[in-house]
PDB file of all heavy atoms in Angstrom:
ATOM      1  N   LYS A 116     -50.705   6.842   5.622  1.00  0.00           N
ATOM      2  CA  LYS A 116     -51.023   7.991   4.777  1.00  0.00           C
ATOM      3  C   LYS A 116     -51.446   9.157   5.648  1.00  0.00           C
ATOM      4  O   LYS A 116     -52.053   8.983   6.708  1.00  0.00           O
ATOM      5  CB  LYS A 116     -52.172   7.647   3.829  1.00  0.00           C
ATOM      6  CG  LYS A 116     -51.788   6.681   2.735  1.00  0.00           C
ATOM      7  CD  LYS A 116     -52.970   6.423   1.824  1.00  0.00           C
ATOM      8  CE  LYS A 116     -52.637   5.312   0.851  1.00  0.00           C
ATOM      9  NZ  LYS A 116     -53.847   4.719   0.282  1.00  0.00           N
ATOM     10  N   TYR A 117     -51.122  10.345   5.189  1.00  0.00           N
ATOM     11  CA  TYR A 117     -51.667  11.560   5.786  1.00  0.00           C
ATOM     12  C   TYR A 117     -51.946  12.510   4.639  1.00  0.00           C
ATOM     13  O   TYR A 117     -51.026  12.871   3.892  1.00  0.00           O
ATOM     14  CB  TYR A 117     -50.672  12.169   6.775  1.00  0.00           C
ATOM     15  CG  TYR A 117     -51.180  13.473   7.341  1.00  0.00           C
ATOM     16  CD1 TYR A 117     -52.274  13.481   8.220  1.00  0.00           C
ATOM     17  CD2 TYR A 117     -50.593  14.676   6.978  1.00  0.00           C
ATOM     18  CE1 TYR A 117     -52.754  14.680   8.719  1.00  0.00           C
ATOM     19  CE2 TYR A 117     -51.070  15.872   7.476  1.00  0.00           C
ATOM     20  CZ  TYR A 117     -52.162  15.874   8.347  1.00  0.00           C
ATOM     21  OH  TYR A 117     -52.648  17.054   8.839  1.00  0.00           O
ATOM     22  N   LEU A 118     -53.206  12.899   4.514  1.00  0.00           N
ATOM     23  CA  LEU A 118     -53.630  13.704   3.377  1.00  0.00           C
ATOM     24  C   LEU A 118     -53.155  13.034   2.088  1.00  0.00           C
ATOM     25  O   LEU A 118     -53.431  11.870   1.849  1.00  0.00           O
ATOM     26  CB  LEU A 118     -53.084  15.144   3.486  1.00  0.00           C
ATOM     27  CG  LEU A 118     -53.471  15.887   4.777  1.00  0.00           C
ATOM     28  CD1 LEU A 118     -52.852  17.277   4.801  1.00  0.00           C
ATOM     29  CD2 LEU A 118     -54.997  15.978   4.923  1.00  0.00           C
ATOM     30  N   ARG A 120     -49.974  12.526   1.431  1.00  0.00           N
ATOM     31  CA  ARG A 120     -48.625  11.985   1.636  1.00  0.00           C
ATOM     32  C   ARG A 120     -48.723  10.513   2.015  1.00  0.00           C
ATOM     33  O   ARG A 120     -49.526  10.132   2.866  1.00  0.00           O
ATOM     34  CB  ARG A 120     -47.892  12.736   2.749  1.00  0.00           C
ATOM     35  CG  ARG A 120     -47.681  14.196   2.392  1.00  0.00           C
ATOM     36  CD  ARG A 120     -47.284  14.988   3.615  1.00  0.00           C
ATOM     37  NE  ARG A 120     -47.593  16.395   3.389  1.00  0.00           N
ATOM     38  CZ  ARG A 120     -47.782  17.277   4.368  1.00  0.00           C
ATOM     39  NH1 ARG A 120     -47.702  16.899   5.633  1.00  0.00           N
ATOM     40  NH2 ARG A 120     -48.062  18.531   4.079  1.00  0.00           N
ATOM     41  N   LEU A 162     -45.163   7.819  15.985  1.00  0.00           N
ATOM     42  CA  LEU A 162     -44.428   7.687  14.724  1.00  0.00           C
ATOM     43  C   LEU A 162     -42.923   7.641  14.945  1.00  0.00           C
ATOM     44  O   LEU A 162     -42.384   8.401  15.750  1.00  0.00           O
ATOM     45  CB  LEU A 162     -44.739   8.881  13.810  1.00  0.00           C
ATOM     46  CG  LEU A 162     -46.209   9.113  13.457  1.00  0.00           C
ATOM     47  CD1 LEU A 162     -46.340  10.375  12.596  1.00  0.00           C
ATOM     48  CD2 LEU A 162     -46.779   7.913  12.725  1.00  0.00           C
ATOM     49  N   ASP A 165     -38.113   9.078  11.183  1.00  0.00           N
ATOM     50  CA  ASP A 165     -38.095   9.315   9.733  1.00  0.00           C
ATOM     51  C   ASP A 165     -39.504   9.336   9.153  1.00  0.00           C
ATOM     52  O   ASP A 165     -39.802  10.114   8.244  1.00  0.00           O
ATOM     53  CB  ASP A 165     -37.275   8.233   9.018  1.00  0.00           C
ATOM     54  CG  ASP A 165     -35.804   8.331   9.382  1.00  0.00           C
ATOM     55  OD1 ASP A 165     -35.448   9.274  10.133  1.00  0.00           O
ATOM     56  OD2 ASP A 165     -35.028   7.464   8.929  1.00  0.00           O
ATOM     57  N   LEU A 166     -40.351   8.478   9.709  1.00  0.00           N
ATOM     58  CA  LEU A 166     -41.731   8.429   9.233  1.00  0.00           C
ATOM     59  C   LEU A 166     -42.433   9.748   9.531  1.00  0.00           C
ATOM     60  O   LEU A 166     -43.150  10.296   8.685  1.00  0.00           O
ATOM     61  CB  LEU A 166     -42.468   7.260   9.900  1.00  0.00           C
ATOM     62  CG  LEU A 166     -43.917   7.055   9.470  1.00  0.00           C
ATOM     63  CD1 LEU A 166     -44.021   6.781   7.981  1.00  0.00           C
ATOM     64  CD2 LEU A 166     -44.556   5.925  10.279  1.00  0.00           C
ATOM     65  N   ALA A 167     -42.205  10.275  10.739  1.00  0.00           N
ATOM     66  CA  ALA A 167     -42.808  11.553  11.120  1.00  0.00           C
ATOM     67  C   ALA A 167     -42.341  12.649  10.176  1.00  0.00           C
ATOM     68  O   ALA A 167     -43.126  13.484   9.720  1.00  0.00           O
ATOM     69  CB  ALA A 167     -42.439  11.896  12.565  1.00  0.00           C
ATOM     70  N   GLU A 168     -41.055  12.611   9.825  1.00  0.00           N
ATOM     71  CA  GLU A 168     -40.537  13.642   8.915  1.00  0.00           C
ATOM     72  C   GLU A 168     -41.126  13.508   7.529  1.00  0.00           C
ATOM     73  O   GLU A 168     -41.339  14.499   6.836  1.00  0.00           O
ATOM     74  CB  GLU A 168     -39.009  13.548   8.849  1.00  0.00           C
ATOM     75  CG  GLU A 168     -38.374  14.286  10.000  1.00  0.00           C
ATOM     76  CD  GLU A 168     -36.896  14.553   9.785  1.00  0.00           C
ATOM     77  OE1 GLU A 168     -36.315  13.961   8.851  1.00  0.00           O
ATOM     78  OE2 GLU A 168     -36.357  15.338  10.568  1.00  0.00           O
ATOM     79  N   ARG A 169     -41.384  12.256   7.126  1.00  0.00           N
ATOM     80  CA  ARG A 169     -41.947  12.034   5.806  1.00  0.00           C
ATOM     81  C   ARG A 169     -43.384  12.566   5.740  1.00  0.00           C
ATOM     82  O   ARG A 169     -43.767  13.245   4.786  1.00  0.00           O
ATOM     83  CB  ARG A 169     -41.928  10.539   5.480  1.00  0.00           C
ATOM     84  CG  ARG A 169     -42.729  10.133   4.261  1.00  0.00           C
ATOM     85  CD  ARG A 169     -42.045  10.526   2.963  1.00  0.00           C
ATOM     86  NE  ARG A 169     -40.811   9.781   2.803  1.00  0.00           N
ATOM     87  CZ  ARG A 169     -40.750   8.553   2.289  1.00  0.00           C
ATOM     88  NH1 ARG A 169     -41.842   7.977   1.857  1.00  0.00           N
ATOM     89  NH2 ARG A 169     -39.606   7.931   2.199  1.00  0.00           N
ATOM     90  N   LEU A 170     -44.168  12.250   6.789  1.00  0.00           N
ATOM     91  CA  LEU A 170     -45.589  12.612   6.748  1.00  0.00           C
ATOM     92  C   LEU A 170     -45.830  14.061   7.150  1.00  0.00           C
ATOM     93  O   LEU A 170     -46.770  14.692   6.688  1.00  0.00           O
ATOM     94  CB  LEU A 170     -46.392  11.680   7.659  1.00  0.00           C
ATOM     95  CG  LEU A 170     -46.415  10.208   7.232  1.00  0.00           C
ATOM     96  CD1 LEU A 170     -47.154   9.375   8.265  1.00  0.00           C
ATOM     97  CD2 LEU A 170     -47.060  10.045   5.864  1.00  0.00           C
ATOM     98  N   PHE A 171     -44.980  14.545   8.034  1.00  0.00           N
ATOM     99  CA  PHE A 171     -45.173  15.920   8.522  1.00  0.00           C
ATOM    100  C   PHE A 171     -43.880  16.705   8.366  1.00  0.00           C
ATOM    101  O   PHE A 171     -43.207  17.023   9.336  1.00  0.00           O
ATOM    102  CB  PHE A 171     -45.619  15.907   9.991  1.00  0.00           C
ATOM    103  CG  PHE A 171     -46.882  15.126  10.220  1.00  0.00           C
ATOM    104  CD1 PHE A 171     -46.826  13.809  10.690  1.00  0.00           C
ATOM    105  CD2 PHE A 171     -48.125  15.686   9.945  1.00  0.00           C
ATOM    106  CE1 PHE A 171     -47.978  13.085  10.891  1.00  0.00           C
ATOM    107  CE2 PHE A 171     -49.289  14.945  10.138  1.00  0.00           C
ATOM    108  CZ  PHE A 171     -49.215  13.645  10.608  1.00  0.00           C
ATOM    109  N   PRO A 172     -43.531  17.018   7.122  1.00  0.00           N
ATOM    110  CA  PRO A 172     -42.236  17.670   6.912  1.00  0.00           C
ATOM    111  C   PRO A 172     -42.212  19.103   7.435  1.00  0.00           C
ATOM    112  O   PRO A 172     -41.167  19.602   7.798  1.00  0.00           O
ATOM    113  CB  PRO A 172     -42.056  17.628   5.393  1.00  0.00           C
ATOM    114  CG  PRO A 172     -43.398  17.378   4.825  1.00  0.00           C
ATOM    115  CD  PRO A 172     -44.244  16.732   5.879  1.00  0.00           C
ATOM    116  N   TYR A 173     -43.367  19.770   7.467  1.00  0.00           N
ATOM    117  CA  TYR A 173     -43.359  21.201   7.829  1.00  0.00           C
ATOM    118  C   TYR A 173     -44.018  21.449   9.174  1.00  0.00           C
ATOM    119  O   TYR A 173     -43.674  22.378   9.873  1.00  0.00           O
ATOM    120  CB  TYR A 173     -44.089  22.018   6.761  1.00  0.00           C
ATOM    121  CG  TYR A 173     -43.713  21.610   5.365  1.00  0.00           C
ATOM    122  CD1 TYR A 173     -44.616  20.991   4.516  1.00  0.00           C
ATOM    123  CD2 TYR A 173     -42.397  21.829   4.903  1.00  0.00           C
ATOM    124  CE1 TYR A 173     -44.257  20.608   3.231  1.00  0.00           C
ATOM    125  CE2 TYR A 173     -42.033  21.445   3.624  1.00  0.00           C
ATOM    126  CZ  TYR A 173     -42.963  20.838   2.786  1.00  0.00           C
ATOM    127  OH  TYR A 173     -42.608  20.455   1.543  1.00  0.00           O
ATOM    128  N   GLU A 174     -45.027  20.603   9.529  1.00  0.00           N
ATOM    129  CA  GLU A 174     -45.807  20.882  10.728  1.00  0.00           C
ATOM    130  C   GLU A 174     -45.634  19.758  11.736  1.00  0.00           C
ATOM    131  O   GLU A 174     -45.126  18.696  11.407  1.00  0.00           O
ATOM    132  CB  GLU A 174     -47.298  21.014  10.348  1.00  0.00           C
ATOM    133  CG  GLU A 174     -47.966  19.710   9.888  1.00  0.00           C
ATOM    134  CD  GLU A 174     -47.820  19.427   8.394  1.00  0.00           C
ATOM    135  OE1 GLU A 174     -46.743  19.709   7.836  1.00  0.00           O
ATOM    136  OE2 GLU A 174     -48.772  18.884   7.793  1.00  0.00           O
ATOM    137  N   SER A 175     -46.077  19.983  12.938  1.00  0.00           N
ATOM    138  CA  SER A 175     -46.064  18.916  13.930  1.00  0.00           C
ATOM    139  C   SER A 175     -47.241  17.984  13.629  1.00  0.00           C
ATOM    140  O   SER A 175     -48.313  18.419  13.232  1.00  0.00           O
ATOM    141  CB  SER A 175     -46.226  19.523  15.332  1.00  0.00           C
ATOM    142  OG  SER A 175     -46.596  18.512  16.228  1.00  0.00           O
ATOM    143  N   GLY A 176     -46.980  16.687  13.814  1.00  0.00           N
ATOM    144  CA  GLY A 176     -48.042  15.726  13.522  1.00  0.00           C
ATOM    145  C   GLY A 176     -48.941  15.450  14.716  1.00  0.00           C
ATOM    146  O   GLY A 176     -49.950  14.748  14.588  1.00  0.00           O
ATOM    147  N   LEU A 177     -48.594  15.992  15.855  1.00  0.00           N
ATOM    148  CA  LEU A 177     -49.351  15.672  17.068  1.00  0.00           C
ATOM    149  C   LEU A 177     -50.823  16.007  16.900  1.00  0.00           C
ATOM    150  O   LEU A 177     -51.166  17.105  16.467  1.00  0.00           O
ATOM    151  CB  LEU A 177     -48.793  16.448  18.269  1.00  0.00           C
ATOM    152  CG  LEU A 177     -47.421  15.985  18.800  1.00  0.00           C
ATOM    153  CD1 LEU A 177     -47.078  16.735  20.084  1.00  0.00           C
ATOM    154  CD2 LEU A 177     -47.408  14.488  19.033  1.00  0.00           C
ATOM    155  N   ALA A 179     -52.838  14.833  14.795  1.00  0.00           N
ATOM    156  CA  ALA A 179     -53.342  14.574  13.437  1.00  0.00           C
ATOM    157  C   ALA A 179     -53.842  13.143  13.332  1.00  0.00           C
ATOM    158  O   ALA A 179     -53.400  12.264  14.068  1.00  0.00           O
ATOM    159  CB  ALA A 179     -52.237  14.836  12.422  1.00  0.00           C
ATOM    160  N   TRP A 180     -54.751  12.945  12.413  1.00  0.00           N
ATOM    161  CA  TRP A 180     -55.263  11.593  12.166  1.00  0.00           C
ATOM    162  C   TRP A 180     -54.606  11.048  10.917  1.00  0.00           C
ATOM    163  O   TRP A 180     -54.716  11.627   9.851  1.00  0.00           O
ATOM    164  CB  TRP A 180     -56.782  11.612  12.024  1.00  0.00           C
ATOM    165  CG  TRP A 180     -57.469  11.818  13.361  1.00  0.00           C
ATOM    166  CD1 TRP A 180     -57.740  12.996  13.955  1.00  0.00           C
ATOM    167  CD2 TRP A 180     -57.948  10.792  14.232  1.00  0.00           C
ATOM    168  NE1 TRP A 180     -58.354  12.809  15.187  1.00  0.00           N
ATOM    169  CE2 TRP A 180     -58.496  11.439  15.369  1.00  0.00           C
ATOM    170  CE3 TRP A 180     -57.968   9.384  14.185  1.00  0.00           C
ATOM    171  CZ2 TRP A 180     -59.060  10.741  16.442  1.00  0.00           C
ATOM    172  CZ3 TRP A 180     -58.539   8.704  15.242  1.00  0.00           C
ATOM    173  CH2 TRP A 180     -59.069   9.375  16.366  1.00  0.00           C
ATOM    174  N   VAL A 181     -53.896   9.937  11.068  1.00  0.00           N
ATOM    175  CA  VAL A 181     -53.271   9.323   9.900  1.00  0.00           C
ATOM    176  C   VAL A 181     -53.986   8.008   9.614  1.00  0.00           C
ATOM    177  O   VAL A 181     -54.739   7.502  10.455  1.00  0.00           O
ATOM    178  CB  VAL A 181     -51.764   9.054  10.135  1.00  0.00           C
ATOM    179  CG1 VAL A 181     -51.019  10.352  10.359  1.00  0.00           C
ATOM    180  CG2 VAL A 181     -51.558   8.099  11.302  1.00  0.00           C
ATOM    181  N   VAL A 190     -52.197  10.622  16.053  1.00  0.00           N
ATOM    182  CA  VAL A 190     -50.794  10.670  16.474  1.00  0.00           C
ATOM    183  C   VAL A 190     -50.703  11.286  17.857  1.00  0.00           C
ATOM    184  O   VAL A 190     -51.190  12.394  18.083  1.00  0.00           O
ATOM    185  CB  VAL A 190     -49.953  11.499  15.480  1.00  0.00           C
ATOM    186  CG1 VAL A 190     -48.506  11.586  15.947  1.00  0.00           C
ATOM    187  CG2 VAL A 190     -50.043  10.900  14.084  1.00  0.00           C
ATOM    188  N   THR A 193     -43.997  11.286  18.741  1.00  0.00           N
ATOM    189  CA  THR A 193     -42.989  10.862  17.756  1.00  0.00           C
ATOM    190  C   THR A 193     -41.728  10.447  18.524  1.00  0.00           C
ATOM    191  O   THR A 193     -41.516  10.878  19.660  1.00  0.00           O
ATOM    192  CB  THR A 193     -42.626  11.982  16.769  1.00  0.00           C
ATOM    193  OG1 THR A 193     -42.042  13.063  17.506  1.00  0.00           O
ATOM    194  CG2 THR A 193     -43.845  12.477  16.016  1.00  0.00           C
TER     195      THR A 193
END
Side-chain angles (χ1 to χ4, degrees):
Chain A
K116 289 181 188 160
Y117 176 69
L118 303 178
R120 297 166 202 157
L162 302 177
D165 293 357
L166 182 60
E168 277 196 348
R169 168 74 66 84
L170 295 176
F171 302 99
Y173 316 112
E174 68 273 38
S175 163
L177 288 187
W180 286 86
V181 297
V190 178
T193 63

